[in-house]
Amino acid sequence: MTVKTEKGQMAKQDAIRPYMCQLLAKVKGGKEGRAAAAQGAKTQNNADVTVKDVYVFSREIAREAKGNAVAVTARHKGRHYALRGRVDYVQEDGQDYNVSFDIPEQGSGLLQVPGDNEPRVGVACLFKPNQLANVLTFRKGDKVMLILRRHLEFWPILMALHKLGAVGVPATHLLTEKDVLYRVDAARIQMMVISHKDEGVLRSAEVAMQKCESLKHVMILRGQREGFHSYEQEMPLQSPVWDKPTGDAYPHNHDLLLLYFTSGTTGMPKMVTHDHYYPLGHIVTSLYWQQCEDGGLHFTISETGWAKSVWGKLYGQWICGATLFVYDFDRFIAADLLKMLEKHRVTSFCAPPTVYRFLIKEDLSGYDLSALKWANCAGEPLNPEVYDQFLRLTGVKIHEGFG
């Protein structure tokens, strides 16, 4: 590695080159990536590696160079770093390749270090022939499985995939290892983004990385896990500037938007796809059945692995101007749900009949639900007694959907 400050001072980092190249080779998916990782493990002691964000690393070098530029080389000689950051460009250098990281100006991106006004530092890694680096970029048609429970991150991640033209494949956290392997192989999934709360699914993804040829990347939503990208840690490091694809590379109306698997009640689950026209179909759902309106606050209860999360609390609702209320819970408690409805002044609400059955068992007179104007249910038969009780206690009718 070579580090160069804006003042022209140089610090050569020969010792870091082999490790950096092995590290980036590890993120290559499939058999090649696993072989590269095994080879790197033989020649590198991971316990001696310091993991750093390249943005922070560049500031540290700048401060050191400002104090004593001559000492920079001596201070870092023989030390190994695993740097995480965004690649700016790749340039041929004879038979080698010079890979340069993008170091944003202070305050120019999402990541900011208060009180840090040091000059920028360029960071680059020299690659020898046949060394592979695989950057997390997706193109139109690539498939990404999302197992994200009720986490808020589901919405921005799915929107990002739509902009890229990649196909979102939402799935429930209840999947077994057999379910995961079947779906990854059948849909040719290239990446999985998984909740940090689902150890079983995370282990299944590790097995899939070994057995499924198409799967190149796995990402954990929060925290760290060996062999996984981290959404929480890597997202703030990305540039806010996005180069919009043009021509055929940009998604068009008839391109795939979503892929779901059926429940497999009478056989193996089957794939069902939707194109970019799909969101328009649920304007009717939102406007007329759910009565979503501009300025309203809509709340649909559904785990993001089910299709109801997109037709019931995403496309039509946003198009109608409603704000979506996201309540991330692991265990349903009726009293907690009523507190959310009251505190946040939810105006329209959609839930399975079972939820309403538990709600009417609470003392509804202790909650101010005056903001609630409309209620829906679907997915199972609504008991007439539940309907009557909820209407009597709240003054709001429950509108049942079929089909």
Side-chain angles (χ1 to χ4, degrees):
M1 171 175 287
T2 301
V3 179
K4 180 179 180 182
T5 68
E6 289 182 335
K7 296 182 179 180
Q9 295 145 338
M10 302 291 295
K12 299 191 70 174
Q13 295 290 320
D14 295 333
I16 201 172
R17 291 178 182 172
Y19 174 71
M20 281 296 298
C21 295
Q22 292 161 9
L23 174 75
L24 292 175
K26 290 179 186 179
V27 302
K28 172 69 178 175
K31 296 180 179 179
E32 292 183 21
R34 290 190 288 274
Q39 179 62 29
K42 295 178 182 178
T43 59
Q44 180 66 41
N45 181 1
N46 289 331
D48 296 335
V49 176
T50 301
V51 179
K52 282 185 178 290
D53 162 41
V54 71
Y55 179 95
V56 175
F57 180 72
S58 70
R59 261 54 183 186
E60 291 177 355
I61 297 296
R63 284 193 293 269
E64 293 173 7
K66 187 176 180 180
N68 185 352
V70 178
V72 171
T73 301
R75 184 178 291 112
H76 295 275
K77 185 176 182 179
R79 296 180 64 180
H80 294 167
Y81 296 95
L83 298 182
R84 294 173 175 170
R86 182 171 182 262
V87 172
D88 186 21
Y89 64 86
V90 179
Q91 184 177 20
E92 289 189 35
D93 183 5
Q95 290 186 334
D96 303 333
Y97 292 90
N98 192 335
V99 179
S100 177
F101 288 96
D102 176 26
I103 312 295
E105 290 279 10
Q106 168 65 13
S108 64
L110 297 177
L111 181 66
Q112 298 186 21
V113 181
D116 185 359
N117 296 313
E118 299 295 343
R120 289 193 304 164
V121 171
V123 181
C125 180
L126 189 67
F127 283 78
K128 294 295 183 182
N130 302 321
Q131 291 176 323
L132 301 174
N134 197 6
V135 181
L136 271 181
T137 57
F138 291 97
R139 296 172 296 179
K140 186 170 72 175
D142 289 346
K143 299 179 180 67
V144 181
M145 180 176 285
L146 307 177
I147 305 178
L148 295 174
R149 291 180 169 242
R150 293 178 173 85
H151 301 317
L152 176 66
E153 291 86 350
F154 171 79
W155 282 263
I157 291 174
L158 190 60
M159 289 298 102
L161 295 177
H162 291 350
K163 291 175 70 174
L164 292 170
V167 182
V169 187
T172 175
H173 69 283
L174 301 175
L175 296 181
T176 65
E177 180 181 306
K178 177 183 177 182
D179 297 329
V180 170
L181 294 176
Y182 170 75
R183 284 161 173 78
V184 170
D185 269 338
R188 302 293 295 170
I189 301 295
Q190 279 101 343
M191 181 178 184
M192 298 177 68
V193 184
I194 306 168
S195 169
H196 52 289
K197 293 185 176 182
D198 296 314
E199 179 61 29
V201 179
L202 291 167
R203 288 199 300 267
S204 297
E206 291 171 338
V207 174
M209 281 290 287
Q210 299 293 323
K211 294 185 176 182
C212 301
E213 183 181 358
S214 67
L215 188 61
K216 306 300 182 184
H217 306 284
V218 285
M219 175 176 281
I220 189 170
L221 188 65
R222 298 173 196 162
Q224 287 183 304
R225 189 181 183 93
E226 185 178 356
F228 283 66
H229 294 276
S230 170
Y231 176 88
E232 179 183 48
Q233 295 184 5
E234 296 179 27
M235 177 63 181
L237 306 180
Q238 305 309 308
S239 169
V241 178
W242 176 63
D243 295 325
K244 179 180 176 179
T246 59
D248 290 338
Y250 191 68
H252 298 281
N253 291 339
H254 290 293
D255 291 325
L256 290 187
L257 179 77
L258 292 165
L259 185 154
Y260 282 94
F261 281 86
T262 63
S263 58
T265 305
T266 58
M268 295 300 289
K270 298 175 179 61
M271 289 179 281
V272 178
T273 61
H274 299 291
D275 63 20
H276 283 254
Y277 279 116
Y278 176 74
L280 302 180
H282 287 294
I283 295 175
V284 173
T285 304
S286 175
L287 182 62
Y288 295 107
W289 185 54
Q290 293 180 331
Q291 291 290 299
C292 290
E293 58 185 9
D294 193 9
L297 182 61
H298 179 73
F299 180 16
T300 286
I301 290 186
S302 174
E303 194 228 302
T304 60
W306 307 112
K308 187 177 182 180
S309 281
V310 294
W311 66 251
K313 54 178 180 179
L314 177 51
Y315 302 122
Q317 295 72 27
W318 273 353
I319 293 173
C320 289
T323 298
L324 298 176
F325 180 71
V326 178
Y327 179 32
D328 189 352
F329 62 90
D330 293 325
R331 180 171 172 263
F332 170 68
I333 300 174
D336 291 346
L337 180 61
L338 287 167
K339 291 176 184 177
M340 294 296 106
L341 293 172
E342 176 186 40
K343 177 180 178 181
H344 298 282
R345 311 291 291 170
V346 171
T347 59
S348 55
F349 178 61
C350 185
T354 300
V355 170
Y356 289 101
R357 181 164 58 86
F358 280 98
L359 292 182
I360 62 174
K361 292 182 179 180
E362 299 294 318
D363 180 12
L364 295 185
S365 64
Y367 301 91
D368 178 10
L369 302 180
S370 59
L372 187 64
K373 305 301 181 185
W374 194 267
N376 293 91
C377 72
E380 60 190 66
L382 174 64
N383 189 299
E385 182 181 354
V386 174
Y387 172 89
D388 292 336
Q389 284 276 41
F390 190 81
L391 176 60
R392 181 178 64 83
L393 295 170
T394 66
V396 178
K397 298 179 179 179
I398 301 174
H399 299 79
E400 186 174 10
F402 296 88

